[in-house]
Amino acid sequence: MGILDRIHLKTDSEIELIKQSSLLVGKTLGEVAKLIMPGVPLLYIDRIAEEFIRDHHGIPSFKGYNGYPGSLCLSVNDVVVHGIPDNTLLQEGDIVSVDCGAYLNGYHGDYCYTFAVGTISEEKRLLVERTKESLLHAIKVAVKGNTIGDVGHAVESYIKPFHYGVVRDLCGHGIGKNMHEKPDVPNYGKPGTGPKIVEGMVFCIEPMINLGTYQVKVDADQWTTRTVDGKPSAHFEHQVAITAKGTEVLSTYQYVEEVINQK
Ligand code: MF3
Ligand code: CO
């Protein structure tokens, strides 16, 4: 069993450090939020985010990870995750998931927010709102004594009545000194199954929800992951820690929301 196969439990001081990394991600997403408007090139957003992370003594976690070229994953419309920033311009009516990772003081922060570009269709608005809501439901059951299966089940059961596709090929993950650690955190599952949630766990929960089918395919670039039917997809991610005091959400949308609420 390799070192990454075990679940690394964190001390309170490690969790404090992870929270700092997560905070830097939150502030970076706040900077990105200011740029979300029609006509802005994805590569420009990526550059601003990278500069912001480096200016705050962090390293973009994604850059160079298995050869990934960007600092952010910018996934527009039918792109589910891992969209590589290029010269594409944001357009009115797009939805774009911005996934950001920052490495600071030896630990990774990693989370994601899906933005609306200008005015979006009602269909997309509901998809985004419900994806975010599914994450909040999952966080509620991510508590000591429950299991990782309970977390996945919370996403899946909340989404079911809307007949959206819950992506199965990708999942959330433990996080700490490495961006991807055990346990895997699927967005589906049976209650009471999977690893038990215990004190010291830190993991990312990240529902990826498609308007149409759950099925996805990867482009020739080996990264860009799209819905097979070309319908839009939304993605939200939070980072949680299980502590003696309970479940703490280390990530925050505060900086994003401050910007969005001013628009
Ligand atoms: N948030 C993404 C994940 O959890 C980040 C990986 S993007 C990569 O998998 F490019 F770094 F791989
Ligand atoms: Co992640």
Side-chain angles (χ1 to χ4, degrees), residues 63-219:
K63 197 153 200 169
Y65 179 88
N66 292 336
Y68 186 76
S71 289
L72 300 175
C73 295
L74 296 174
S75 306
V76 179
N77 297 330
D78 65 312
V79 181
V80 179
V81 287
H82 302 166
I84 298 175
D86 62 8
N87 292 320
T88 304
L89 309 180
L90 289 177
Q91 291 184 44
E92 179 88 22
D94 284 346
I95 54 173
V96 55
S97 101
V98 178
D99 197 347
C100 177
Y103 184 72
L104 185 71
N105 297 321
Y107 292 88
H108 291 277
D110 163 25
Y111 61 103
C112 169
Y113 191 91
T114 296
F115 293 89
V117 182
T119 306
I120 60 173
S121 67
E122 182 65 0
E123 202 176 47
K124 280 181 172 172
R125 192 187 67 73
L126 286 171
L127 173 69
V128 171
E129 183 181 283
R130 289 161 176 171
T131 303
K132 190 175 172 193
E133 192 62 27
S134 75
L135 173 55
L136 302 182
H137 280 270
I139 291 171
K140 272 192 210 147
V141 300
V143 294
K144 221 176 302 180
N146 278 356
T147 68
I148 293 296
D150 292 323
V151 175
H153 180 75
V155 172
E156 194 181 20
S157 59
Y158 175 77
I159 290 298
K160 196 166 187 212
F162 308 121
H163 306 288
Y164 294 147
V166 177
V167 174
R168 302 178 75 88
D169 288 7
L170 296 133
C171 54
H173 50 92
I175 186 164
K177 289 183 177 163
N178 300 286
M179 185 167 60
H180 292 138
E181 298 184 2
K182 291 290 162 191
D184 287 343
V185 184
N187 295 303
Y188 56 89
K190 287 197 174 68
T193 64
K196 200 168 175 140
I197 297 174
V198 297
E199 209 174 300
M201 277 186 174
V202 178
F203 54 90
C204 295
I205 309 173
E206 47 178 320
M208 292 152 266
I209 309 295
N210 300 344
L211 185 62
T213 177
Y214 73 94
Q215 290 168 292
V216 300
K217 61 180 180 195
V218 180
D219 282 2

